PDB file of all heavy atoms in Angstrom:
ATOM      1  N   GLY I   2      81.393  88.318  71.140  1.00 98.00           N
ATOM      2  CA  GLY I   2      80.173  88.773  70.511  1.00 98.00           C
ATOM      3  C   GLY I   2      79.085  88.832  71.564  1.00 98.00           C
ATOM      4  O   GLY I   2      79.332  89.178  72.725  1.00 98.00           O
ATOM      5  N   ASN I   3      77.877  88.465  71.204  1.00 98.00           N
ATOM      6  CA  ASN I   3      76.763  88.472  72.156  1.00 98.00           C
ATOM      7  C   ASN I   3      76.816  87.203  72.991  1.00 98.00           C
ATOM      8  O   ASN I   3      77.071  86.115  72.486  1.00 98.00           O
ATOM      9  CB  ASN I   3      75.425  88.524  71.418  1.00 98.00           C
ATOM     10  CG  ASN I   3      75.276  89.817  70.621  1.00 98.00           C
ATOM     11  OD1 ASN I   3      75.807  90.851  71.012  1.00 98.00           O
ATOM     12  ND2 ASN I   3      74.557  89.733  69.513  1.00 98.00           N
ATOM     13  N   PRO I   4      76.550  87.306  74.321  1.00 98.00           N
ATOM     14  CA  PRO I   4      76.526  86.126  75.153  1.00 98.00           C
ATOM     15  C   PRO I   4      75.526  85.087  74.643  1.00 98.00           C
ATOM     16  O   PRO I   4      74.380  85.446  74.250  1.00 98.00           O
ATOM     17  CB  PRO I   4      76.098  86.698  76.527  1.00 98.00           C
ATOM     18  CG  PRO I   4      76.513  88.108  76.478  1.00 98.00           C
ATOM     19  CD  PRO I   4      76.285  88.547  75.055  1.00 98.00           C
ATOM     20  N   GLY I   5      75.972  83.861  74.565  1.00 98.00           N
ATOM     21  CA  GLY I   5      75.094  82.782  74.113  1.00 98.00           C
ATOM     22  C   GLY I   5      75.000  82.631  72.619  1.00 98.00           C
ATOM     23  O   GLY I   5      74.302  81.744  72.098  1.00 98.00           O
ATOM     24  N   GLU I   6      75.766  83.459  71.885  1.00 98.00           N
ATOM     25  CA  GLU I   6      75.734  83.326  70.392  1.00 98.00           C
ATOM     26  C   GLU I   6      76.688  82.272  69.941  1.00 98.00           C
ATOM     27  O   GLU I   6      77.591  81.795  70.687  1.00 98.00           O
ATOM     28  CB  GLU I   6      76.072  84.676  69.789  1.00 98.00           C
ATOM     29  CG  GLU I   6      75.890  84.761  68.282  1.00 98.00           C
ATOM     30  CD  GLU I   6      74.517  84.375  67.820  1.00 98.00           C
ATOM     31  OE1 GLU I   6      73.622  85.234  67.759  1.00 98.00           O
ATOM     32  OE2 GLU I   6      74.332  83.155  67.515  1.00 98.00           O
ATOM     33  N   LYS I   7      76.551  81.823  68.689  1.00 98.00           N
ATOM     34  CA  LYS I   7      77.424  80.783  68.130  1.00 98.00           C
ATOM     35  C   LYS I   7      78.846  81.280  67.982  1.00 98.00           C
ATOM     36  O   LYS I   7      79.092  82.485  68.029  1.00 98.00           O
ATOM     37  CB  LYS I   7      76.859  80.312  66.790  1.00 98.00           C
ATOM     38  CG  LYS I   7      75.455  79.746  66.892  1.00 98.00           C
ATOM     39  CD  LYS I   7      74.949  79.203  65.595  1.00 98.00           C
ATOM     40  CE  LYS I   7      73.480  78.833  65.692  1.00 98.00           C
ATOM     41  NZ  LYS I   7      73.203  77.838  66.743  1.00 98.00           N
ATOM     42  N   PHE I   8      79.760  80.346  67.790  1.00 98.00           N
ATOM     43  CA  PHE I   8      81.163  80.731  67.708  1.00 98.00           C
ATOM     44  C   PHE I   8      81.810  80.293  66.378  1.00 98.00           C
ATOM     45  O   PHE I   8      81.386  79.400  65.705  1.00 98.00           O
ATOM     46  CB  PHE I   8      81.957  80.169  68.890  1.00 98.00           C
ATOM     47  CG  PHE I   8      82.333  78.710  68.784  1.00 98.00           C
ATOM     48  CD1 PHE I   8      83.507  78.302  68.179  1.00 98.00           C
ATOM     49  CD2 PHE I   8      81.527  77.751  69.384  1.00 98.00           C
ATOM     50  CE1 PHE I   8      83.855  76.961  68.094  1.00 98.00           C
ATOM     51  CE2 PHE I   8      81.864  76.391  69.320  1.00 98.00           C
ATOM     52  CZ  PHE I   8      83.028  76.010  68.676  1.00 98.00           C
ATOM     53  N   ALA I   9      82.913  80.980  66.081  1.00 98.00           N
ATOM     54  CA  ALA I   9      83.742  80.681  64.918  1.00 98.00           C
ATOM     55  C   ALA I   9      85.184  80.634  65.365  1.00 98.00           C
ATOM     56  O   ALA I   9      85.567  81.321  66.308  1.00 98.00           O
ATOM     57  CB  ALA I   9      83.579  81.739  63.844  1.00 98.00           C
ATOM     58  N   VAL I  10      85.972  79.769  64.702  1.00 98.00           N
ATOM     59  CA  VAL I  10      87.428  79.728  64.963  1.00 98.00           C
ATOM     60  C   VAL I  10      88.090  80.119  63.663  1.00 98.00           C
ATOM     61  O   VAL I  10      87.901  79.484  62.613  1.00 98.00           O
ATOM     62  CB  VAL I  10      87.908  78.345  65.391  1.00 98.00           C
ATOM     63  CG1 VAL I  10      89.421  78.399  65.666  1.00 98.00           C
ATOM     64  CG2 VAL I  10      87.171  77.875  66.643  1.00 98.00           C
ATOM     65  N   CYS I  11      88.883  81.196  63.710  1.00 98.00           N
ATOM     66  CA  CYS I  11      89.591  81.728  62.534  1.00 98.00           C
ATOM     67  C   CYS I  11      91.043  81.312  62.560  1.00 98.00           C
ATOM     68  O   CYS I  11      91.716  81.440  63.598  1.00 98.00           O
ATOM     69  CB  CYS I  11      89.467  83.245  62.500  1.00 98.00           C
ATOM     70  SG  CYS I  11      87.751  83.841  62.478  1.00 98.00           S
ATOM     71  N   ASN I  12      91.516  80.814  61.428  1.00 98.00           N
ATOM     72  CA  ASN I  12      92.888  80.282  61.333  1.00 98.00           C
ATOM     73  C   ASN I  12      93.671  80.989  60.245  1.00 98.00           C
ATOM     74  O   ASN I  12      93.342  80.888  59.056  1.00 98.00           O
ATOM     75  CB  ASN I  12      92.849  78.771  61.025  1.00 98.00           C
ATOM     76  CG  ASN I  12      91.992  78.029  62.057  1.00 98.00           C
ATOM     77  OD1 ASN I  12      92.432  77.716  63.122  1.00 98.00           O
ATOM     78  ND2 ASN I  12      90.738  77.760  61.679  1.00 98.00           N
ATOM     79  N   ALA I  13      94.705  81.718  60.648  1.00 98.00           N
ATOM     80  CA  ALA I  13      95.540  82.432  59.689  1.00 98.00           C
ATOM     81  C   ALA I  13      96.443  81.453  58.944  1.00 98.00           C
ATOM     82  O   ALA I  13      96.776  80.390  59.441  1.00 98.00           O
ATOM     83  CB  ALA I  13      96.362  83.481  60.384  1.00 98.00           C
ATOM     84  N   GLY I  14      96.876  81.860  57.792  1.00 97.00           N
ATOM     85  CA  GLY I  14      97.872  81.086  57.035  1.00 97.00           C
ATOM     86  C   GLY I  14      99.290  81.518  57.383  1.00 97.00           C
ATOM     87  O   GLY I  14      99.510  82.246  58.367  1.00 97.00           O
ATOM     88  N   GLY I  15     100.217  81.086  56.590  1.00 97.00           N
ATOM     89  CA  GLY I  15     101.616  81.347  56.819  1.00 97.00           C
ATOM     90  C   GLY I  15     102.500  80.202  56.392  1.00 97.00           C
ATOM     91  O   GLY I  15     103.591  80.039  56.863  1.00 97.00           O
ATOM     92  N   GLY I  16     101.950  79.388  55.443  1.00 96.00           N
ATOM     93  CA  GLY I  16     102.723  78.294  54.895  1.00 96.00           C
ATOM     94  C   GLY I  16     103.126  77.253  55.899  1.00 96.00           C
ATOM     95  O   GLY I  16     104.086  76.484  55.714  1.00 96.00           O
ATOM     96  N   PHE I  17     102.410  77.160  57.044  1.00 97.00           N
ATOM     97  CA  PHE I  17     102.733  76.266  58.144  1.00 97.00           C
ATOM     98  C   PHE I  17     104.142  76.555  58.703  1.00 97.00           C
ATOM     99  O   PHE I  17     104.753  75.693  59.350  1.00 97.00           O
ATOM    100  CB  PHE I  17     102.607  74.781  57.752  1.00 97.00           C
ATOM    101  CG  PHE I  17     101.203  74.380  57.497  1.00 97.00           C
ATOM    102  CD1 PHE I  17     100.826  73.960  56.241  1.00 97.00           C
ATOM    103  CD2 PHE I  17     100.243  74.442  58.475  1.00 97.00           C
ATOM    104  CE1 PHE I  17      99.498  73.593  55.983  1.00 97.00           C
ATOM    105  CE2 PHE I  17      98.921  74.105  58.234  1.00 97.00           C
ATOM    106  CZ  PHE I  17      98.565  73.664  56.969  1.00 97.00           C
ATOM    107  N   ALA I  18     104.639  77.733  58.433  1.00 97.00           N
ATOM    108  CA  ALA I  18     105.931  78.189  58.965  1.00 97.00           C
ATOM    109  C   ALA I  18     105.744  79.239  60.054  1.00 97.00           C
ATOM    110  O   ALA I  18     106.577  79.388  60.960  1.00 97.00           O
ATOM    111  CB  ALA I  18     106.813  78.717  57.852  1.00 97.00           C
ATOM    112  N   TYR I  19     104.673  80.018  59.927  1.00 98.00           N
ATOM    113  CA  TYR I  19     104.333  81.040  60.902  1.00 98.00           C
ATOM    114  C   TYR I  19     102.859  81.304  60.852  1.00 98.00           C
ATOM    115  O   TYR I  19     102.149  80.764  59.978  1.00 98.00           O
ATOM    116  CB  TYR I  19     105.163  82.325  60.675  1.00 98.00           C
ATOM    117  CG  TYR I  19     104.586  83.237  59.613  1.00 98.00           C
ATOM    118  CD1 TYR I  19     103.912  84.390  59.944  1.00 98.00           C
ATOM    119  CD2 TYR I  19     104.758  82.944  58.260  1.00 98.00           C
ATOM    120  CE1 TYR I  19     103.404  85.255  58.974  1.00 98.00           C
ATOM    121  CE2 TYR I  19     104.265  83.801  57.287  1.00 98.00           C
ATOM    122  CZ  TYR I  19     103.578  84.944  57.661  1.00 98.00           C
ATOM    123  OH  TYR I  19     103.061  85.773  56.676  1.00 98.00           O
ATOM    124  N   VAL I  20     102.339  82.126  61.775  1.00 98.00           N
ATOM    125  CA  VAL I  20     100.939  82.428  61.815  1.00 98.00           C
ATOM    126  C   VAL I  20     100.719  83.931  61.557  1.00 98.00           C
ATOM    127  O   VAL I  20     101.104  84.754  62.379  1.00 98.00           O
ATOM    128  CB  VAL I  20     100.331  82.064  63.196  1.00 98.00           C
ATOM    129  CG1 VAL I  20      98.839  82.340  63.217  1.00 98.00           C
ATOM    130  CG2 VAL I  20     100.614  80.578  63.506  1.00 98.00           C
ATOM    131  N   GLY I  21     100.129  84.254  60.399  1.00 98.00           N
ATOM    132  CA  GLY I  21      99.927  85.663  60.037  1.00 98.00           C
ATOM    133  C   GLY I  21      98.617  86.195  60.572  1.00 98.00           C
ATOM    134  O   GLY I  21      97.792  86.764  59.799  1.00 98.00           O
ATOM    135  N   ALA I  22      98.410  86.089  61.872  1.00 98.00           N
ATOM    136  CA  ALA I  22      97.119  86.427  62.467  1.00 98.00           C
ATOM    137  C   ALA I  22      96.692  87.857  62.285  1.00 98.00           C
ATOM    138  O   ALA I  22      95.484  88.132  62.096  1.00 98.00           O
ATOM    139  CB  ALA I  22      97.125  86.055  63.945  1.00 98.00           C
ATOM    140  N   MET I  23      97.613  88.813  62.375  1.00 98.00           N
ATOM    141  CA  MET I  23      97.228  90.221  62.344  1.00 98.00           C
ATOM    142  C   MET I  23      96.537  90.614  61.044  1.00 98.00           C
ATOM    143  O   MET I  23      95.755  91.578  61.021  1.00 98.00           O
ATOM    144  CB  MET I  23      98.473  91.099  62.562  1.00 98.00           C
ATOM    145  CG  MET I  23      98.139  92.582  62.715  1.00 98.00           C
ATOM    146  SD  MET I  23      96.919  92.972  64.015  1.00 98.00           S
ATOM    147  CE  MET I  23      97.974  93.002  65.445  1.00 98.00           C
ATOM    148  N   HIS I  24      96.700  89.860  59.987  1.00 97.00           N
ATOM    149  CA  HIS I  24      96.046  90.166  58.696  1.00 97.00           C
ATOM    150  C   HIS I  24      95.053  89.071  58.310  1.00 97.00           C
ATOM    151  O   HIS I  24      94.069  89.351  57.587  1.00 97.00           O
ATOM    152  CB  HIS I  24      97.090  90.341  57.607  1.00 97.00           C
ATOM    153  CG  HIS I  24      96.488  90.562  56.249  1.00 97.00           C
ATOM    154  ND1 HIS I  24      95.733  91.644  55.918  1.00 97.00           N
ATOM    155  CD2 HIS I  24      96.601  89.839  55.105  1.00 97.00           C
ATOM    156  CE1 HIS I  24      95.370  91.603  54.656  1.00 97.00           C
ATOM    157  NE2 HIS I  24      95.872  90.492  54.139  1.00 97.00           N
ATOM    158  N   ASP I  25      95.233  87.826  58.769  1.00 98.00           N
ATOM    159  CA  ASP I  25      94.489  86.718  58.192  1.00 98.00           C
ATOM    160  C   ASP I  25      93.561  85.994  59.156  1.00 98.00           C
ATOM    161  O   ASP I  25      92.891  85.052  58.764  1.00 98.00           O
ATOM    162  CB  ASP I  25      95.500  85.679  57.601  1.00 98.00           C
ATOM    163  CG  ASP I  25      94.911  84.941  56.405  1.00 98.00           C
ATOM    164  OD1 ASP I  25      94.099  85.502  55.667  1.00 98.00           O
ATOM    165  OD2 ASP I  25      95.329  83.806  56.194  1.00 98.00           O
ATOM    166  N   SER I  26      93.500  86.444  60.398  1.00 98.00           N
ATOM    167  CA  SER I  26      92.484  85.837  61.322  1.00 98.00           C
ATOM    168  C   SER I  26      91.959  86.881  62.325  1.00 98.00           C
ATOM    169  O   SER I  26      90.755  86.891  62.590  1.00 98.00           O
ATOM    170  CB  SER I  26      93.053  84.625  62.060  1.00 98.00           C
ATOM    171  OG  SER I  26      94.140  84.975  62.879  1.00 98.00           O
ATOM    172  N   PHE I  27      92.825  87.734  62.880  1.00 98.00           N
ATOM    173  CA  PHE I  27      92.313  88.760  63.796  1.00 98.00           C
ATOM    174  C   PHE I  27      91.267  89.651  63.149  1.00 98.00           C
ATOM    175  O   PHE I  27      90.205  89.921  63.760  1.00 98.00           O
ATOM    176  CB  PHE I  27      93.452  89.648  64.320  1.00 98.00           C
ATOM    177  CG  PHE I  27      94.386  88.955  65.288  1.00 98.00           C
ATOM    178  CD1 PHE I  27      95.602  89.541  65.644  1.00 98.00           C
ATOM    179  CD2 PHE I  27      94.094  87.734  65.881  1.00 98.00           C
ATOM    180  CE1 PHE I  27      96.466  88.947  66.542  1.00 98.00           C
ATOM    181  CE2 PHE I  27      94.927  87.132  66.794  1.00 98.00           C
ATOM    182  CZ  PHE I  27      96.149  87.750  67.122  1.00 98.00           C
ATOM    183  N   PRO I  28      91.519  90.154  61.922  1.00 98.00           N
ATOM    184  CA  PRO I  28      90.467  91.009  61.326  1.00 98.00           C
ATOM    185  C   PRO I  28      89.142  90.280  61.130  1.00 98.00           C
ATOM    186  O   PRO I  28      88.062  90.871  61.327  1.00 98.00           O
ATOM    187  CB  PRO I  28      91.112  91.394  59.949  1.00 98.00           C
ATOM    188  CG  PRO I  28      92.559  91.252  60.186  1.00 98.00           C
ATOM    189  CD  PRO I  28      92.710  90.070  61.080  1.00 98.00           C
ATOM    190  N   HIS I  29      89.186  89.054  60.714  1.00 98.00           N
ATOM    191  CA  HIS I  29      87.986  88.256  60.499  1.00 98.00           C
ATOM    192  C   HIS I  29      87.249  88.060  61.835  1.00 98.00           C
ATOM    193  O   HIS I  29      86.005  88.236  61.877  1.00 98.00           O
ATOM    194  CB  HIS I  29      88.336  86.893  59.920  1.00 98.00           C
ATOM    195  CG  HIS I  29      89.153  86.969  58.643  1.00 98.00           C
ATOM    196  ND1 HIS I  29      90.409  87.534  58.584  1.00 98.00           N
ATOM    197  CD2 HIS I  29      88.898  86.517  57.383  1.00 98.00           C
ATOM    198  CE1 HIS I  29      90.882  87.466  57.370  1.00 98.00           C
ATOM    199  NE2 HIS I  29      89.978  86.845  56.616  1.00 98.00           N
ATOM    200  N   ALA I  30      88.013  87.717  62.862  1.00 98.00           N
ATOM    201  CA  ALA I  30      87.387  87.512  64.162  1.00 98.00           C
ATOM    202  C   ALA I  30      86.760  88.782  64.708  1.00 98.00           C
ATOM    203  O   ALA I  30      85.654  88.761  65.264  1.00 98.00           O
ATOM    204  CB  ALA I  30      88.417  86.960  65.152  1.00 98.00           C
ATOM    205  N   LEU I  31      87.446  89.898  64.522  1.00 98.00           N
ATOM    206  CA  LEU I  31      86.890  91.163  64.979  1.00 98.00           C
ATOM    207  C   LEU I  31      85.600  91.514  64.278  1.00 98.00           C
ATOM    208  O   LEU I  31      84.603  91.929  64.881  1.00 98.00           O
ATOM    209  CB  LEU I  31      87.900  92.287  64.753  1.00 98.00           C
ATOM    210  CG  LEU I  31      87.477  93.682  65.194  1.00 98.00           C
ATOM    211  CD1 LEU I  31      87.059  93.721  66.652  1.00 98.00           C
ATOM    212  CD2 LEU I  31      88.609  94.701  64.904  1.00 98.00           C
ATOM    213  N   GLU I  32      85.560  91.319  62.935  1.00 98.00           N
ATOM    214  CA  GLU I  32      84.367  91.648  62.166  1.00 98.00           C
ATOM    215  C   GLU I  32      83.204  90.729  62.560  1.00 98.00           C
ATOM    216  O   GLU I  32      82.066  91.158  62.643  1.00 98.00           O
ATOM    217  CB  GLU I  32      84.635  91.557  60.685  1.00 98.00           C
ATOM    218  CG  GLU I  32      85.578  92.661  60.183  1.00 98.00           C
ATOM    219  CD  GLU I  32      85.111  94.069  60.578  1.00 98.00           C
ATOM    220  OE1 GLU I  32      83.987  94.430  60.262  1.00 98.00           O
ATOM    221  OE2 GLU I  32      85.936  94.775  61.231  1.00 98.00           O
ATOM    222  N   LEU I  33      83.486  89.447  62.793  1.00 98.00           N
ATOM    223  CA  LEU I  33      82.451  88.522  63.196  1.00 98.00           C
ATOM    224  C   LEU I  33      81.905  88.905  64.574  1.00 98.00           C
ATOM    225  O   LEU I  33      80.691  88.799  64.813  1.00 98.00           O
ATOM    226  CB  LEU I  33      83.003  87.089  63.207  1.00 98.00           C
ATOM    227  CG  LEU I  33      83.245  86.432  61.834  1.00 98.00           C
ATOM    228  CD1 LEU I  33      84.016  85.153  61.980  1.00 98.00           C
ATOM    229  CD2 LEU I  33      81.938  86.241  61.092  1.00 98.00           C
ATOM    230  N   SER I  34      82.766  89.375  65.472  1.00 98.00           N
ATOM    231  CA  SER I  34      82.295  89.794  66.789  1.00 98.00           C
ATOM    232  C   SER I  34      81.384  91.010  66.655  1.00 98.00           C
ATOM    233  O   SER I  34      80.428  91.161  67.425  1.00 98.00           O
ATOM    234  CB  SER I  34      83.489  90.110  67.699  1.00 98.00           C
ATOM    235  OG  SER I  34      84.134  91.319  67.351  1.00 98.00           O
ATOM    236  N   LYS I  35      81.668  91.878  65.716  1.00 98.00           N
ATOM    237  CA  LYS I  35      80.787  93.038  65.481  1.00 98.00           C
ATOM    238  C   LYS I  35      79.417  92.630  64.989  1.00 98.00           C
ATOM    239  O   LYS I  35      78.418  93.325  65.215  1.00 98.00           O
ATOM    240  CB  LYS I  35      81.414  93.993  64.486  1.00 98.00           C
ATOM    241  CG  LYS I  35      82.695  94.706  64.954  1.00 98.00           C
ATOM    242  CD  LYS I  35      83.281  95.559  63.846  1.00 98.00           C
ATOM    243  CE  LYS I  35      84.569  96.263  64.291  1.00 98.00           C
ATOM    244  NZ  LYS I  35      85.164  97.102  63.215  1.00 98.00           N
ATOM    245  N   MET I  36      79.364  91.443  64.340  1.00 98.00           N
ATOM    246  CA  MET I  36      78.101  90.904  63.892  1.00 98.00           C
ATOM    247  C   MET I  36      77.324  90.211  65.024  1.00 98.00           C
ATOM    248  O   MET I  36      76.179  89.791  64.857  1.00 98.00           O
ATOM    249  CB  MET I  36      78.285  89.927  62.752  1.00 98.00           C
ATOM    250  CG  MET I  36      78.945  90.461  61.519  1.00 98.00           C
ATOM    251  SD  MET I  36      79.245  89.154  60.293  1.00 98.00           S
ATOM    252  CE  MET I  36      80.375  89.976  59.177  1.00 98.00           C
TER     253      MET I  36
END
């Protein structure tokens, strides 16, 4: 995002068996970066 701005950590689900990042954390992180 903008240099010096606050940060967020996004965590995808997947039943603790796998990480569904492409749908459950990457999109969120991308949208937050646009903000």
Side-chain angles (χ1 to χ4, degrees):
N3 297 329
E6 189 53 89
K7 300 185 188 303
F8 78 88
V10 182
C11 301
N12 305 279
F17 293 117
Y19 81 103
V20 182
M23 187 54 84
H24 176 62
D25 211 30
S26 62
F27 288 168
H29 305 61
L31 178 58
E32 292 307 304
L33 288 170
S34 73
K35 292 177 181 179
M36 299 177 195

